[in-house]
Amino acid sequence: EVQLLESGGDLVQPGGSLRLSCAASGFTFSSYAMSWVRQAPGKGLEWVSAITGSGGTIYYADSVKGRFTISRDNSKNTLYLQMNSLRAEDTALYYCAKDNKGGYNYAYTDVWGQGTAVTVSS
Amino acid sequence: EIVLTQSPGTLSLSPGERATLSCRASQSVSSSYVAWYQQKPGQAPRLLIYGASSRATGIPDRFSGSESGTDFTLTISRLEPEDVAVYYCQQYDSSPRTFGQGTKVEIK
């Protein structure tokens, strides 16, 4: 069974940093692109970032470009999101998501984790 | 960036009725690269439809997707109480991937 388990969410002050992790199991991790998608309280879904299966190509939403860094460790079956210069508007539930293939282009998300909550507030 | 506009915002129907959810793209989405997700209260989203009309594994056949130009439709043929959820469309034709704002389906 495919499982994605996020961790690392916390309460952090504006301007602070946080690193999210997503432990994957039940599939060949390195064969699939992975994404982070967030959902602000009571709001819709927003795609944040994606990384190809090899880790060679990375994509970001404009709203996080230059502040967030996505990475993966295929030897540990783990996806990461380093979040710096956090703002109140980054407050959200952050979902780890598996794509249906290794490349990012024309790939859709087929499995979602349960999410980890990030709150940015003083 | 492709903007997806979903309508209606909320759909309130009785069990057994047909639900029709719309998703309109601001520009052409090539090769039907549209997916639909269901998010039940307090849960993560779940993939229902990909490629505009292909059902994901384990999805009941009362869920179906279709397209006409830049208009995409999710249909629930016979609404059941467990279908109460917010439904999102997403395009994965171009980056950034974008979602519609969601349609909430309620049971009368």
Side-chain angles (χ1 to χ4, degrees), chain A residues 8-84:
Chain A
D10 205 348
L11 170 64
V12 61
Q13 292 189 339
S17 298
L18 210 54
R19 187 173 89 153
L20 307 183
S21 299
C22 171
S25 61
F27 64 102
T28 304
F29 184 67
S30 60
S31 294
Y32 295 91
M34 299 291 294
S35 301
W36 289 98
V37 177
R38 68 185 181 183
Q39 186 170 36
K43 303 296 184 183
L45 301 170
E46 180 189 15
W47 174 83
V48 172
S49 182
I51 185 169
T52 55
S54 67
T57 310
I58 284 170
Y59 305 83
Y60 296 104
D62 286 346
S63 58
V64 305
K65 201 173 294 183
R67 300 186 300 122
F68 290 12
T69 302
I70 192 172
S71 63
R72 63 191 297 160
D73 185 336
N74 286 345
S75 69
K76 295 182 178 178
N77 291 350
T78 303
L79 176 72
Y80 303 100
L81 186 67
Q82 177 66 43
M83 310 165 66
N84 297 332

Side-chain angles (χ1 to χ4, degrees), chain A residues 39 95 99 104 106-107 109 113, chain B residues 33 37 39 44-45 92-93 95 97:
Chain A
Q39 186 170 36
Y95 292 104
D99 282 357
Y104 168 80
Y106 311 123
T109 290
Chain B
Y33 292 129
Y37 299 92
Q39 186 175 35
Y92 51 99
D93 177 35
S95 190
R97 296 175 188 175

Side-chain angles (χ1 to χ4, degrees), chain B residues 7 10 21 39 47 62 66-67 70 78 85 94 100 104 107:
Chain B
S7 61
T10 301
L21 287 68
Q39 186 175 35
L47 175 68
R62 67 179 182 274
S66 63
E67 69 165 303
T70 57
R78 298 171 307 280
S94 65
K104 184 176 184 179
I107 296 288

